[in-house]
Amino acid sequence: MEIFLLDKTIVVVIVFLITLLIAMYSTWAERKVAGFIQDRIGPNRAGIFGILQPLADGVKMFMKEEIIPTQADKALFIMAPGISMLTALLTSSVIPWGSYLEINGRQVMMQITDINIGMLYIFAVVSTGVYGIMIGGWSSNNKYSLMGALRASSQMISYELALGLALISVIMMTETLSLKSIVEYQAINGWNIIYQPLGFLIFFICALAECNRTPFDLPESEAELIGGYHTEYSSMKLGLFLFAEYVNMFISGAIMSALFFGGYNLPFHEELSTVFSHNTLAILGTVSFMLKTFTFIFIFMWIRWTVPRFRYDQLMHLGWKILLPLAMFNVVATGTVILIKMLW
Amino acid sequence: MEKLTNRSKVVVKKEMTFLESIYLPAIFGGMWITLKHFFKKKPTIQYPEEKRPFSFVYRGLHILKRDEQGRENCTACGLCAVACPAEAITIVAAERKKGEEHLYREEKYAASYEINMLRCIFCGLCEEACPKDAVYLTEELVPSQYDRKDFIFGKDKLVQPLGTSAHPKTYKPYKK
Amino acid sequence: MEQLLFIILSVISVAAALCVIFVRNPIYSVLSLVITFFSIAGHYILLKAQFLAIVNIIVYAGAIMVLFLFVIMLLNLNNTENQEKRSFVSKAIAVVAGGLLLVSLVGLLKGSVLTPTTGGISSDDIGTVQRLGKVLFTDFVLPFEISSILFLSAIIGAVMLGKKDLKDH
């Protein structure tokens, strides 16, 4: 029991640190990608290739003056960035980062916990993710912040539905809600993207919306709402809000690669297992999982620096009148195929 | 109404085809363009370390030249001040005293020679007007200042220091 | 361990539920209601009903309370003066309604005998989706379908209301 707890604690700490580290370097990568797409170089002064830029940004954020508006609701104003960060980090607990490692004959799972309702857990945490933004926007006592918060909440509610329906078709195929089982299902049957391309497209678009990434960054649109829900925030509180966005991005990239792109499975597993030991294979699997995740993070950034922002009515039109019926159709189609297979 | 030019384009709002209305091909097209830019050569120049070469005819900060014996060329004739379209040059003339022959080439010299760098438009007309080859525009940029009065460059900043190269284009007053 | 968790969760849920009623600011009220939902979800997990717990969070904390918060933020109800001007009639109606609820609750609880029902079904997967789905589609298929028809009619009603609004303008 104690060893189990120790293992879990270590895994939790490692996952936590890696998530934060990757989110940190995502900020750097974002600026680099933005630069390269706009024919610039991006940050390159702090360290070689600007590799120390996140540290410099962090130091800057901490040194900035802390401003709390006098008319703001102080308790909620301070709480909101924390809630944002918390909900962003919570999801990482059910993601299978790899299979297991064998250390001194014990099997250490490279996943914090494999609950049998993992998918629903993710969905629940995502659906509560809007609270940080809403509370932050409301407590600032600023009309732009409030409008950002309202936009965020309506956007998230609208896109959660299509997100959930896109997931349901995957669940119908794999017949499990545990993410680890879904990954293992793909080891036998091939990646889910082959069977669910439409589901993946819907999920991807909704993930963009849930992360408040361009073209769905209406809650924080800097042109119309001067920063939206974080207009009044400064110093590290603003930093936490911005950071939560990158954590969300990393987590949704990880979820997408676990659900649709085989997670930590390696191709030619049989052939490779004769060459490498189990632990090496497990680590290789984790590396491939991370590579897939990074690809998604890159695609997120790539989209951000290509596509302009939606107008509000376009956003609602896309969510309710296009994605939702499409996801519904996808569910019905998947059900029909499963039924036909069963009757065969 | 009659058209003023034939360049105007008639905008027609026609129905989008299905492929256009799902927007995805257009989005992928846009992403292809940004991806191409991703791998393009970057024109960035790392400024303080790397500098772009100036054109040979570039006109920057002025200098007041000395001749081969280190005497100031300027005779305070005022032609530069007259030629200046921005009226940036103010000259106070003085007569050369005995024993100052090693300092000034002509009998008259500029006791004060001020150029207001905020007024100056760097047209180079002073350089063309000068009969004594005294004023030249170098490749140097005017350094930024916090105060307006610091932009009025007197003789202390303008006169070519002793022992430097005579050619104005290779002469760099602010470089060690 | 479970005892300790139960006590902590109970304290949180009762305290948050009291906050919902006694806090002046409606935003705080809603947020404490969210906390209550979370702690109740914790109770569900202790009772091995994980599915119910998660659905509770998704539906109530994730969707309904967000809408509540949305509406309260839009109405900007946080000026407390309005609450002083309640008429005597509305207060009286509230007292009567609350009293009736209390009476019916007491009546219900008095008749029932509190027996531990976990004896027969102590298996760990009692609350899993598979078990729940099987039960829903076999033993309780009629109520399940009836409630789905109810939802369908509610959806159609909502759509009708929305459409009618559009035509008027």
Side-chain angles (χ1 to χ4, degrees), chain C residues 56-132:
Chain C
N56 184 49
I57 290 177
I58 293 174
V59 174
Y60 285 100
I64 293 181
M65 292 327 286
V66 173
L67 280 178
F68 267 50
L69 207 58
F70 190 98
V71 170
I72 288 172
M73 280 178 182
L74 271 183
L75 291 179
N76 202 16
L77 281 174
N78 49 336
N79 43 346
T80 41
E81 308 131 40
N82 286 0
Q83 294 176 350
E84 313 299 330
K85 288 183 252 166
R86 287 267 162 78
S87 71
F88 177 74
V89 181
S90 67
K91 274 181 188 164
I93 289 171
V95 167
V96 169
L100 280 175
L101 184 68
L102 186 71
V103 166
S104 56
L105 268 179
V106 167
L108 262 173
L109 289 176
K110 219 179 147 196
S112 67
V113 189
L114 283 173
T115 46
T117 49
T118 43
I121 36 166
S122 60
S123 58
D124 270 358
D125 58 344
I126 175 72
T128 58
V129 191
Q130 284 91 342
R131 287 287 289 271
L132 202 70

Side-chain angles (χ1 to χ4, degrees), chain A residues 89-137:
Chain A
L89 283 169
L90 266 179
T91 329
S92 61
S93 58
V94 291
I95 292 170
W97 303 103
S99 57
Y100 57 91
L101 288 176
E102 276 179 0
I103 300 166
N104 298 334
R106 283 184 295 115
Q107 293 189 348
V108 180
M109 292 259 286
M110 284 157 86
Q111 181 180 11
I112 293 173
T113 170
D114 180 34
I115 50 178
N116 55 15
I117 44 165
M119 295 278 287
L120 288 175
Y121 172 84
I122 287 174
F123 199 48
V125 174
V126 166
S127 68
T128 51
V130 70
Y131 279 111
I133 292 174
M134 281 193 91
I135 293 172

Side-chain angles (χ1 to χ4, degrees), chain B residues 22 36 39 65 82 92 98 110-111 129-130 145 155 163 165:
Chain B
I22 58 172
K36 273 194 292 191
F39 295 109
K65 277 197 49 177
V82 172
V92 176
K98 263 242 153 74
C130 188
Q145 311 282 355
K155 271 183 86 174
S165 146

